Amino acid sequence: GHPQVCPFGGPVNSRIPASTLTFLFMLCAVPATSAETVDVTADSLHIDRDRRMATFKGHVTARFESLQFFCAVMTVTYSEAGAITSLQATGGVTVKQKDATAKAATAIYDATQGVLVLKGNPVLETGGHRLLGDAIEVNLHTGRIDVAKARGTFMLNPGGAP
């Protein structure tokens, strides 16, 4: 069987029905060893323990590391130890970090690599810069931004953002 670990590595705030919250608390009965937490609010939650996935649907807001997500659906995947490995957001996605805001049809955050990939008419706005492209990839560890078919308003500023 699978170890009894909280798939989120910590507390979950939610507007989920009480019966689902009770199940979530039973699932999280053994404390996770990871300091990672994702705080989520959603209309509903489905947990697939065999695939180590939790899917939140409806008016999803989530905070993970330095990122805030707003979307219709979010799927969180986690390791057997309970560490979050990725977050996939779909449906009118907005991602915020400090003074940067990104919008796209989908956003996938690889927590192990610290890389956020935006697809579906992605737009990244930060410090007066506005980047558009077919896909935008942001490495949160290095600050590197790669844009496929880049366009928009931006200045090449080696000392600042983007």
Side-chain angles (χ1 to χ4, degrees):
H2 295 283
Q4 291 269 335
V5 295
C6 178
F8 312 105
V12 175
N13 300 320
S14 185
R15 295 179 298 208
I16 299 168
S19 59
T20 305
L21 282 175
T22 302
F23 174 73
L24 181 61
F25 291 142
M26 291 182 342
L27 181 67
C28 297
V30 176
T33 57
S34 171
E36 295 175 333
T37 62
V38 59
D39 294 315
V40 180
T41 302
D43 292 338
S44 67
L45 165 65
H46 172 75
I47 297 174
D48 184 337
R49 292 180 64 193
D50 291 335
R51 294 176 55 199
R52 293 193 300 271
M53 296 171 63
T55 303
F56 298 88
K57 292 185 178 179
H59 307 97
V60 179
T61 62
R63 183 182 299 271
F64 180 68
E65 295 177 348
S66 63
L67 300 171
Q68 283 185 285
F69 292 84
F70 304 89
C71 58
V73 178
M74 174 176 280
T75 301
V76 178
T77 58
Y78 51 94
S79 69
E80 196 166 320
I84 295 166
T85 56
S86 70
L87 294 96
Q88 179 172 337
T90 58
V93 178
T94 299
V95 182
K96 294 184 177 188
Q97 182 195 40
K98 298 179 186 172
D99 67 340
T101 300
K103 294 184 179 190
T106 65
I108 300 172
Y109 180 61
D110 180 336
T112 60
Q113 301 295 315
V115 174
L116 176 67
V117 177
L118 305 158
K119 293 185 178 178
N121 300 313
V123 177
L124 175 62
E125 295 178 333
T126 179
H129 306 281
R130 188 168 197 266
L131 300 173
L132 299 92
D134 287 351
I136 299 174
E137 182 176 299
V138 181
N139 185 315
L140 300 178
H141 296 302
T142 65
R144 179 180 171 140
I145 300 172
D146 292 308
V147 183
K149 296 189 179 178
R151 56 196 180 278
T153 306
F154 58 96
M155 296 175 11
L156 301 178
N157 182 2

